[in-house]
Structure formats: structure tokens, C-alpha cells
Amino acid sequence: MYRILKKRVLNPSVILLAIEAPLIASKAQPGQFIILRINETGERIPLTIADYDRELGTVTIIFQVVGATTKLLAQMREGDMLADFVGPLGTASDLDGIKKAAVIGGGVGCAIAYPQAKELFRRGTSVDVITGFRNKDLIILNEEFKKVSTRYFCTTDDGSNGKKGFVSDVLKALIDEGTQYDAVIAIGPLIMMKVVSEVTRPYHIKTIISMNPIMIDGTGMCGGCRVTVGGETKFACVDGPDFDGHLVDFDEAIRRSKMYAGQERERSNHMDCRLMKGVQ
Amino acid sequence: MSVSAKKIQMPVQDAKVRRNNFNEVTLGYTAEMAVEEAQRCLNCKNSPCVKGCPVNVQIPDFIRYIKNSEFEKAYQTIHETNSLPAVCGRVCPQETQCEGNCVCGIKGEPVAIGRLERFVADYHMQHAVEEKEPAKITGTKVAVVGAGPSGLTCAGELAKKGYAVTIFEALHRPGGVLIYGIPEFRLPKKKVADEIDNLIKMGVQIRTNVVIGKTITVDELFEQGFRAVFVGSGAGYPSFMNIEGENLNGVYSANEYLTRINLMKAYKPDHETPILKGKKVAVIGGGNVAMDAARSALRIGAETVYIIYRRSLKEMPARMEEIEHAKEEGVQFRLLTNPIRFIGDKDGWLTGAECIKMELGEPDESGRSRPVPQKGSEFVLEIDTAIIAVGTSPNPLVHKTTQGIKVNKRGCILVSEESGATSREGIYAGGDAVTGAATVILAMGAGKKAALAMDRYLNEKAAK
């Protein structure tokens, strides 16, 4: 069992949990993920590691409430136990040799972009952070990003905070201004990562994206997380989750992400009923 | 007394009923049936059956005890050489091993050794009250990577010798393929759990949720004081066909499909893991895994299930019993047929498989006739789910993160045939990680052999 040591509600639908998992904390690297299962009847879900503290032995995850499992996870409190928590899985991000980077986070993807920015900044890299949210109420990790960036741009789709528009617009403007990036790291919704990859493609800027597909084991066993990269099938769990954004077949990935959308809605509604019962 | 040329029949669930449930298909012998079947054993002097068993179960001995209704003694006889009798009695391919060598099989049917083993193991689990004292733990720490058949057997043998054994398992439940791969209707998970409980009672520690190579490396195990390591990480890496449309929604690897059902219990309403409940399902492949996937698909509500296999029935690697069971349950066999591409709709959902008819040509390296596509025979099979069961290869996680373990070009760990020793001192390996996908019992045999070699190695080292 794995104890929840800390819980923070970052915005109405995004929650941070710090989990006691010293073995994983001692090994975790930016870009890697864990798989958790809440209880005996639960499903295994992958979540990218948002932060880790080797001394405290904790691993931080940040997730958005999107379906039944995340809904239940959001109900858990400090001191509660998770049945299973395994990792660190996947290949760590390759950040070597990057002198100037743009780190881009979209929505809850910022949780995953954060450790990348933090690590790059620690290495002395010049880091421009660009984050994007639908509106100002959804902004997360604002203060944290300020501490690990050379320049920080926070956009909202509706202009309720910072610049109105999309992260890709800001990135394009920075590139057009003459900023020379060794690499762009983009993490967020598939469509955002696709658009960012299209922005950087004509400039031949190395673009690293992070996939978060449906998977079960996270060790290469199920093959459910397959993604087409440069015409070849890769397993995101072991070959990734980071891939070259210019080579990923995003359209296929978007289709595959909807595999259980119908069942997910049903289960999510059921979960609402169960949670309501729990409250009464 | 005349002895029947045929095995005593084992009761089974009716095919029409069982295709709708996950309960065990075969129901096992009663004590009377077991005693009667045991009478058929000729107790041959040279015991050819034992030579056919990868773990050398003393078959005539345990059958003699059954004849006398001494079932617990029969169990103890089996358990001396086999740590997982309830499993082996159910999933071993006895027809090519012990029973394949049985003298009775020359003129009639061989003695039903598998069914007898199963009866004895189940009897023990129902009746045994007192467990044997656990062996004295000497304190020498030994690690086992992977809680599948080879790892569990290796751990059991080492525990018998008094080693402090810890098994590290990547999934949340021990059992390996017995838990995630083989379905409930063929091997009830309760039986697997009982066998594993026996190991825990013997002093074996099992740590789940630890991925060796990620959470801890093999080198760190040595640093933590483990004196020898057995790698039984299996062949869990699914192969695909590399044909068009394989990443459409609705195309599964057999590993994923079976794991969702067996490990995650996706078929139970109170479990959260989703699974696509296709109406027209095609399983590609002809092994036991393909049969398991096809029969599982029926049980979660498929109306039509095809097995698509590129050779003929004769070459099918699945056990005849599994093929028969699948046919009885209504699985349709499309033999000498191979898919050449999967077809999807505009939203990326599978709608069909274009297949081609095959002819058998000259034998290939495997000794089986090579299937040759017949030009112009292409046709489209309408399906909404496809399950690829064309094999698996060893998971590279352990050897990729451990210096000095040599593998062959297929990624199988190279070991000494006699001892299971790898190219690095103190590290042994066995099971599918060494052979590529094979059987439960061969993995168990390898685990046992390695345990004996590890014991010798550690003794020699201690003597120095």
C-alpha cells in the first residue's frame, strides 16, 4: 500500500498528490511515469511523474479529473492508501546538450512540463516557459514555473489572464523574433502537441513531445500504448513516452485515445452515483 | 479384472452453458473416478512417463498411492518434485510429455496422468489441515526476478533448501502468465493463489510492484546482499504482424486482451478496467493463447469468433483438447488463411480484415510446411475486433539494464544448458526469458534446474 502524504487542489479539476514511494523517488527522472491502481477493483492508469523528493521519499503526481478513476482519486485524502504504485517507468527525457529551450505546457500537461523545465534550469539552460490554459481559473504551477524559467509566458484561450491565444502562437512569435532554440519540449493535449510540432517543423527545431496513451502494465507487455513514429510502431511505455514530435502520427494517437470513450462516460456516471452514496 | 483401454472421462461443463461463463470448463475427477483411473497404470519398471516430465514427477509412485486411496501421500510425492501441481495438472501438454510416453497409449489411451495430478492437488487443498514446517532459513539471500512459473518454482526449490528467497514482480499480483494470460475457465485464479500461498508459508517473500531494471537494478540487488539472482522475466513482449491497419481501434495483442480479462477482470461489472466487447471477433494465430483469446471473446459476448491460422489443423501448435473445446463452444476455424491488412472506417475503427488463402509448400526451418499465399484468393472478413496471437518475445528490460548478460539475436538470454547459468557469475535465468514463448512446465523445469545449480554455486562459494 502507498500512502498519500499530501493533497493540493490546484484548480477545480486538477489535483496534486504526493505519494510515499521511496524506491521510486530514489530513481525517478524527468519524463518518466508511474502506474497506479486505487483499490482491488480499480484499473491501472499511467500518470507522468510531476516531481519527486529523494530525501522525503515522495513522488508527486498531478492529474485532471477526466473519468471514473481520476474522479475517485480526487476524492482521496491525505493519509489514505493506494493499492498499487509502480515505477519509475519509461525512458527518461534526453535533455543533454540543450543550451536554449522552450518548454511548453498545455493545461494539466504543465504538470509534466514542470520537471523538464526544472531540470533544464538546474543545468543552466536558458528556458523559455510557455503555458496555456482555457481561462485564468485553470492556471496551475504559476509560481513554480516563474522560479525555473528564464522567461515565462502564460496564455489563456479567452484572454482572462496574460496573452489571449494559444501556446503555439507565442512560440511562433518568439521564433520569428529571432530566438534560436536547440529544442522545444511540448507537453499537453495531443492536438496542442501536434500544432506545436507543425510550428517548429519548417524551422527544423528539435521538438520533443510526451505521449500518455492507454496502457495496462507499462513494461512492454500489453502493446496497448503503441504509437506510430516515423512509420514504425513503438511502445510508448518503454520506447517513450518522449518522442520526436515531427515523426509522431498524432491523428492516429488521437483516434486511439478515444478507444474507450463511450465506456468511460458510462463508468464516470456510475462513479458519480457511487460517490454520491458515499456522501449521504 | 479387465482394464479399460480408454481414460475415465472427466466431467465438463456443457459447451452451450460454458461459452457464457468464466467458470472452469473441466470439473475434475471424483475420488472414485481417480481410483478407477489409477488402476489402469501398469507400473512399468522403467517408467517412461517420468522421462517425459520436465520436473521428473515420480508418476507411478503417486498413482500407486491413489490406487490405495492415500491421496495426501500421493500429493506429497508430487510436491517433492513439482511446486505447482494444481497448475500442471490443468495446463501441461501431457499428451506430448508424460502421457505421450505412457505404454497404455500404444494400444489404447494413456493413463490420464494430468487429470490424476489435478485431482490429487485439489484434494490436498481441500483437505490438508497442517502444513509442513517451513524449512530452516539459512539467511543466505537469493533474489528471483518475476513471479511466473519459472520464478515460483525456482523460489520454491530454494526455500526448501533454506534460502531466504525474495521474488520481485512487476505487476500487482504474482503468478505471471498463470494470472494474466491463462483464463479463469482453464485455470482458476484461486488455484494459482493457493499454490503461491504455499510458497509464502514456506518462507518465500514476494514483493509486487517492483520492476527490476527500473525500480531496482540487478546490480543493486547484489549490493543489497542478495548472493545470487534468478531471472525469470518471461516472454511478455507481444509480436505484431506489421501489416496495414494494425493500430486501428479494435485491434488488440492477445497479451492486452487477456490481461484486461484475466488480471484486471474487465468482464466483471464491479471492476473498472474497460474492454471492447466485439460482436465479430477474429483471433490471428493457432497456439493455446489464440484459443484462450477466442474462447474469452465468446464469454464476453461475441456472436461470431474466428480463429485465423495460416497453416492447417495438423500444424496448429495449440493442444488438441483446447482446439476441441474451442470448436465445441462455437469458435469457427478459418485455416490456411492469413490476414494481409486490416480495414477501418473514417474514425479509425476496425471494420474488417482482408485475408488471403494459403497453400502448404515445402517444410521451413521449423520443420512445418511453409504456407504460401495463393494469388487472387483475397477476400474480406467483416469483423469489429481483431486479436493478434502470433507470439511473444522476451522482455528486454532486465538484460538491457544489467551488464554482462548475453542474449541471442532474438533477445533470449543465453544460459548453460545444464545449470541455467548466464554469462555473468551469480546470475541464472530460465523459462520463456531463455527459450522464448514455451510452456509452463518447461519454465518450471528450468526454474528447478537453476535452483539446484544456484545451491551448488552458493555452497562452493561459501566453502572457499
Side-chain angles (χ1 to χ4, degrees):
Chain A
M1 302 288 265
Y2 303 80
R3 188 183 301 276
I4 298 171
L5 291 184
K6 186 169 98 178
K7 177 180 180 180
R8 295 283 176 275
V9 177
L10 302 186
N11 79 28
S13 66
V14 174
I15 287 160
L16 174 153
L17 297 177
I19 313 293
E20 188 176 33
L23 272 182
I24 305 173
S26 72
K27 284 291 174 64
Q29 302 284 343
Q32 290 188 297
F33 66 95
I34 56 89
I35 283 185
L36 67 78
R37 201 170 66 117
I38 297 177
N39 55 32
E40 273 309 304
T41 55
E43 63 179 331
R44 293 169 65 100
I45 60 162
L47 288 169
T48 307
I49 294 168
D51 206 353
Y52 44 83
D53 188 320
R54 302 208 202 282
E55 280 173 22
L56 288 178
T58 57
V59 172
T60 302
I61 50 170
I62 297 177
F63 61 94
Q64 182 156 23
V65 178
V66 287
T69 296
T70 44
K71 217 169 246 180
L72 184 59
L73 193 57
Q75 300 296 316
M76 303 201 61
R77 289 168 296 201
E78 288 179 2
D80 287 352
M81 298 286 212
L82 299 176
D84 301 294
F85 198 76
V86 58
L89 299 167
T91 307
S93 301
D94 179 11
L95 305 174
D96 289 349
I98 302 173
K99 295 276 174 288
K100 190 159 183 64
V103 175
I104 302 176
V108 73
C110 290
I112 310 159
Y114 173 68
Q116 316 263 357
K118 185 177 165 189
E119 175 62 17
L120 283 167
F121 196 72
R122 189 189 65 79
R123 294 180 182 199
T125 309
S126 165
V127 183
D128 287 349
V129 169
I130 309 167
T131 58
F133 302 91
R134 285 206 311 281
N135 62 56
K136 70 172 173 20
D137 297 331
L138 301 178
I139 293 172
I140 59 169
L141 301 175
N142 205 31
E143 295 309 312
E144 285 84 349
F145 272 120
K146 280 179 191 163
K147 288 182 204 147
V148 298
S149 54
T150 316
R151 290 190 288 179
Y152 174 51
F153 308 88
C154 180
T155 69
T156 47
D157 297 359
D158 65 357
S160 54
N161 180 79
K163 199 173 153 46
K164 177 174 174 170
F166 299 113
V167 287
S168 47
D169 303 332
V170 177
L171 176 69
K172 184 147 184 10
L174 289 169
I175 295 170
D176 288 342
E177 264 171 41
T179 314
Q180 304 251 339
Y181 293 114
D182 301 317
V184 169
I185 298 167
I187 302 163
L190 288 165
I191 187 69
M192 180 214 97
M193 297 192 288
K194 179 185 176 184
V195 172
V196 168
S197 300
E198 287 316 314
V199 166
T200 57
R201 191 190 300 275
Y203 302 96
H204 307 290
I205 302 168
K206 179 180 170 185
T207 302
I208 304 164
I209 58 88
S210 176
M211 302 298 283
N212 186 24
I214 296 163
M215 61 176 77
I216 306 176
D217 61 295
T219 61
M221 196 186 92
C222 77
C225 64
R226 55 200 193 275
V227 42
T228 302
V229 182
E232 268 181 60
T233 293
K234 299 280 184 191
F235 290 174
C237 66
V238 285
D239 300 321
D242 287 2
F243 291 107
D244 181 339
H246 295 153
L247 299 179
V248 170
D249 183 341
F250 283 106
D251 295 335
E252 177 188 275
I254 289 168
R255 287 197 298 267
R256 287 184 66 78
S257 71
K258 293 177 185 155
M259 186 105 78
Y260 301 103
Q263 294 183 43
E264 183 62 43
R265 269 191 300 278
E266 238 173 72
R267 290 196 305 125
S268 188
N269 292 340
H270 276 196
M271 186 61 74
D272 285 344
C273 301
R274 277 164 54 187
L275 291 173
M276 286 302 284
K277 272 185 210 150
V279 182
Q280 279 162 5
Chain B
M1 184 173 84
S2 74
V3 173
S4 161
K6 292 203 154 189
K7 293 177 179 178
I8 302 288
Q9 292 255 328
M10 178 160 57
V12 294
Q13 267 199 79
D14 183 78
K16 286 193 196 75
V17 176
R18 73 180 191 238
R19 62 167 281 172
N20 297 312
N21 71 52
F22 274 87
N23 300 335
E24 194 168 16
V25 168
T26 54
L27 303 171
Y29 279 164
T30 60
E32 293 72 31
M33 290 171 177
V35 172
E36 195 179 344
E37 179 64 22
Q39 309 287 353
R40 298 184 59 232
C41 176
L42 303 174
N43 197 13
C44 313
K45 268 214 179 84
N46 60 349
S47 318
C49 49
V50 178
K51 294 186 184 79
C53 174
V55 295
N56 290 312
V57 168
Q58 297 304 303
I59 294 162
D61 291 353
F62 94 74
I63 292 183
R64 218 171 29 244
Y65 283 123
I66 298 179
K67 280 184 196 169
N68 299 332
S69 296
E70 294 176 285
F71 303 134
E72 182 56 29
K73 278 189 180 159
Y75 174 80
Q76 294 306 337
T77 304
I78 299 174
H79 198 252
E80 271 169 34
T81 53
N82 181 346
S83 329
L84 311 170
V87 173
C88 290
R90 289 174 164 83
V91 303
C92 264
Q94 289 101 8
E95 61 279 7
T96 59
Q97 298 182 156
C98 51
E99 294 182 21
N101 284 2
C102 177
V103 171
C104 294
I106 300 171
K107 285 193 174 161
E109 285 184 352
V111 175
I113 300 167
R115 294 174 187 175
L116 290 174
E117 180 179 33
R118 168 188 165 153
F119 165 76
V120 165
D122 289 358
Y123 177 92
H124 168 79
M125 288 192 184
Q126 276 169 17
H127 296 89
V129 274
E130 210 165 313
E131 289 300 325
K132 275 199 290 192
E133 284 282 299
K136 255 202 176 132
I137 304 286
T138 62
T140 303
K141 283 168 68 180
V142 180
V144 171
V145 180
S150 72
L152 292 172
T153 305
C154 184
E157 295 298 325
L158 288 167
K160 277 185 208 163
K161 294 183 182 299
Y163 289 97
V165 187
T166 306
I167 307 181
F168 296 91
E169 167 57 43
L171 290 171
H172 57 264
R173 185 157 297 145
V177 74
L178 308 175
I179 284 289
Y180 75 72
I182 303 176
E184 181 76 19
F185 57 80
R186 207 149 72 78
L187 177 64
K189 299 310 143 211
K190 172 79 172 68
K191 298 287 172 195
V192 181
D194 286 349
E195 298 275 34
I196 291 169
D197 280 348
N198 275 342
L199 287 180
I200 294 170
K201 280 182 198 147
M202 288 164 67
V204 173
Q205 289 200 30
I206 303 182
R207 290 185 60 190
T208 52
N209 292 329
V210 178
V211 183
I212 297 299
K214 288 286 177 190
T215 319
I216 309 176
T217 62
V218 170
D219 287 291
E220 286 166 334
L221 291 176
F222 283 111
E223 284 165 25
Q224 289 177 14
F226 290 97
R227 308 291 293 278
V229 176
F230 175 79
V231 179
S233 48
Y237 220 68
S239 300
F240 286 89
M241 304 185 72
N242 295 315
I243 59 174
E244 188 187 326
E246 219 166 5
N247 291 348
L248 288 165
N249 289 2
V251 183
Y252 282 110
S253 74
N255 263 8
E256 179 179 2
Y257 193 74
L258 291 171
T259 302
R260 283 181 184 275
I261 291 175
N262 300 324
L263 177 72
M264 306 309 298
K265 307 270 177 266
Y267 64 94
K268 291 189 173 175
D270 62 336
H271 281 60
E272 295 293 332
T273 301
I275 190 160
L276 297 174
K277 294 180 178 167
K279 292 289 166 216
K280 287 187 173 179
V281 180
V283 180
I284 324 299
N288 289 323
V289 173
M291 302 304 137
D292 285 346
R295 297 169 70 195
S296 296
L298 284 175
R299 283 161 173 77
I300 64 169
E303 284 156 11
T304 311
V305 178
Y306 303 103
I307 287 274
I308 302 181
Y309 180 56
R310 61 193 181 138
R311 292 186 167 98
S312 73
L313 200 60
K314 196 162 69 108
E315 288 82 17
M316 252 195 193
R319 294 182 67 192
M320 191 44 74
E321 180 181 328
E322 305 307 325
I323 296 171
E324 291 300 330
H325 280 160
K327 281 186 174 169
E328 288 164 16
E329 289 167 14
V331 172
Q332 300 181 33
F333 284 66
R334 295 294 182 107
L335 304 170
L336 291 165
T337 303
N338 207 31
I340 48 177
R341 74 180 172 109
F342 292 109
I343 304 161
D345 65 14
K346 64 177 179 17
D347 297 318
W349 288 86
L350 178 71
T351 58
E354 184 174 347
C355 301
I356 190 161
K357 295 295 243 176
M358 311 293 271
E359 258 173 3
L360 290 181
E362 291 298 304
D364 62 12
E365 314 88 66
S366 74
R368 295 178 299 177
S369 300
R370 184 191 300 277
V372 184
Q374 284 181 271
K375 267 199 188 126
S377 68
E378 295 87 348
F379 67 100
V380 172
L381 199 61
E382 206 183 288
I383 50 170
D384 56 19
T385 307
I387 301 162
I388 314 289
V390 297
T392 55
S393 59
N395 195 315
L397 260 181
V398 174
H399 71 76
K400 268 191 174 170
T401 53
T402 314
Q403 291 273 315
I405 299 186
K406 285 191 185 141
V407 298
N408 70 14
K409 62 177 192 296
R410 292 182 301 137
C412 301
I413 299 175
L414 293 169
V415 297
S416 135
E417 184 72 28
E418 301 81 52
S419 65
T422 68
S423 48
R424 183 166 156 189
E425 191 192 328
I427 303 180
Y428 294 74
D432 285 3
V434 167
T435 55
T439 61
V440 167
I441 187 66
L442 282 175
M444 291 177 57
K448 186 171 171 177
K449 195 166 59 181
L452 299 177
M454 290 163 85
D455 179 47
R456 279 198 304 274
Y457 162 76
L458 291 166
N459 282 334
E460 279 165 25
K461 226 180 155 189
K464 270 181 198 166

PDB file of all heavy atoms in Angstrom, chain A residues 45 89 134 157 195-196 270:
ATOM      1  N   ILE A  45      -3.792   2.991 -14.161  1.00  0.00           N
ATOM      2  CA  ILE A  45      -3.670   4.164 -15.031  1.00  0.00           C
ATOM      3  C   ILE A  45      -2.252   4.744 -14.943  1.00  0.00           C
ATOM      4  O   ILE A  45      -1.652   4.793 -13.874  1.00  0.00           O
ATOM      5  CB  ILE A  45      -4.710   5.270 -14.721  1.00  0.00           C
ATOM      6  CG1 ILE A  45      -4.564   5.784 -13.285  1.00  0.00           C
ATOM      7  CG2 ILE A  45      -6.115   4.801 -14.986  1.00  0.00           C
ATOM      8  CD1 ILE A  45      -5.235   7.130 -13.077  1.00  0.00           C
ATOM      9  N   LEU A  89       8.656   4.299 -14.679  1.00  0.00           N
ATOM     10  CA  LEU A  89       8.562   3.577 -15.941  1.00  0.00           C
ATOM     11  C   LEU A  89       8.917   4.504 -17.102  1.00  0.00           C
ATOM     12  O   LEU A  89       8.888   5.730 -16.962  1.00  0.00           O
ATOM     13  CB  LEU A  89       7.144   3.024 -16.106  1.00  0.00           C
ATOM     14  CG  LEU A  89       6.719   2.040 -15.000  1.00  0.00           C
ATOM     15  CD1 LEU A  89       5.222   1.780 -15.031  1.00  0.00           C
ATOM     16  CD2 LEU A  89       7.485   0.729 -15.116  1.00  0.00           C
ATOM     17  N   ARG A 134      -7.353  27.204 -20.608  1.00  0.00           N
ATOM     18  CA  ARG A 134      -8.581  27.709 -21.240  1.00  0.00           C
ATOM     19  C   ARG A 134      -8.946  29.077 -20.664  1.00  0.00           C
ATOM     20  O   ARG A 134      -9.295  29.980 -21.384  1.00  0.00           O
ATOM     21  CB  ARG A 134      -9.728  26.716 -21.062  1.00  0.00           C
ATOM     22  CG  ARG A 134      -9.606  25.498 -21.976  1.00  0.00           C
ATOM     23  CD  ARG A 134     -10.968  24.881 -22.278  1.00  0.00           C
ATOM     24  NE  ARG A 134     -11.764  24.660 -21.078  1.00  0.00           N
ATOM     25  CZ  ARG A 134     -11.574  23.628 -20.242  1.00  0.00           C
ATOM     26  NH1 ARG A 134     -10.627  22.736 -20.490  1.00  0.00           N
ATOM     27  NH2 ARG A 134     -12.325  23.497 -19.168  1.00  0.00           N
ATOM     28  N   ASP A 157      -6.871  30.887 -23.431  1.00  0.00           N
ATOM     29  CA  ASP A 157      -7.624  30.859 -24.690  1.00  0.00           C
ATOM     30  C   ASP A 157      -8.554  32.069 -24.775  1.00  0.00           C
ATOM     31  O   ASP A 157      -8.792  32.597 -25.858  1.00  0.00           O
ATOM     32  CB  ASP A 157      -8.472  29.579 -24.799  1.00  0.00           C
ATOM     33  CG  ASP A 157      -7.601  28.328 -24.822  1.00  0.00           C
ATOM     34  OD1 ASP A 157      -6.365  28.472 -24.772  1.00  0.00           O
ATOM     35  OD2 ASP A 157      -8.168  27.221 -24.892  1.00  0.00           O
ATOM     36  N   VAL A 195       0.047  20.727 -33.043  1.00  0.00           N
ATOM     37  CA  VAL A 195       0.159  22.086 -33.599  1.00  0.00           C
ATOM     38  C   VAL A 195       1.564  22.651 -33.345  1.00  0.00           C
ATOM     39  O   VAL A 195       2.181  23.230 -34.247  1.00  0.00           O
ATOM     40  CB  VAL A 195      -0.938  23.005 -33.010  1.00  0.00           C
ATOM     41  CG1 VAL A 195      -0.703  24.448 -33.417  1.00  0.00           C
ATOM     42  CG2 VAL A 195      -2.321  22.531 -33.449  1.00  0.00           C
ATOM     43  N   VAL A 196       2.081  22.449 -32.136  1.00  0.00           N
ATOM     44  CA  VAL A 196       3.431  22.944 -31.831  1.00  0.00           C
ATOM     45  C   VAL A 196       4.449  22.297 -32.769  1.00  0.00           C
ATOM     46  O   VAL A 196       5.340  22.959 -33.309  1.00  0.00           O
ATOM     47  CB  VAL A 196       3.795  22.681 -30.354  1.00  0.00           C
ATOM     48  CG1 VAL A 196       5.288  22.910 -30.107  1.00  0.00           C
ATOM     49  CG2 VAL A 196       2.966  23.573 -29.429  1.00  0.00           C
ATOM     50  N   HIS A 270     -21.590   6.285 -13.432  1.00  0.00           N
ATOM     51  CA  HIS A 270     -21.747   5.327 -12.330  1.00  0.00           C
ATOM     52  C   HIS A 270     -20.981   5.795 -11.107  1.00  0.00           C
ATOM     53  O   HIS A 270     -21.455   5.697  -9.985  1.00  0.00           O
ATOM     54  CB  HIS A 270     -21.222   3.954 -12.744  1.00  0.00           C
ATOM     55  CG  HIS A 270     -22.233   3.167 -13.484  1.00  0.00           C
ATOM     56  ND1 HIS A 270     -22.105   1.821 -13.674  1.00  0.00           N
ATOM     57  CD2 HIS A 270     -23.376   3.525 -14.089  1.00  0.00           C
ATOM     58  CE1 HIS A 270     -23.149   1.382 -14.368  1.00  0.00           C
ATOM     59  NE2 HIS A 270     -23.923   2.410 -14.641  1.00  0.00           N
TER      60      HIS A 270
END
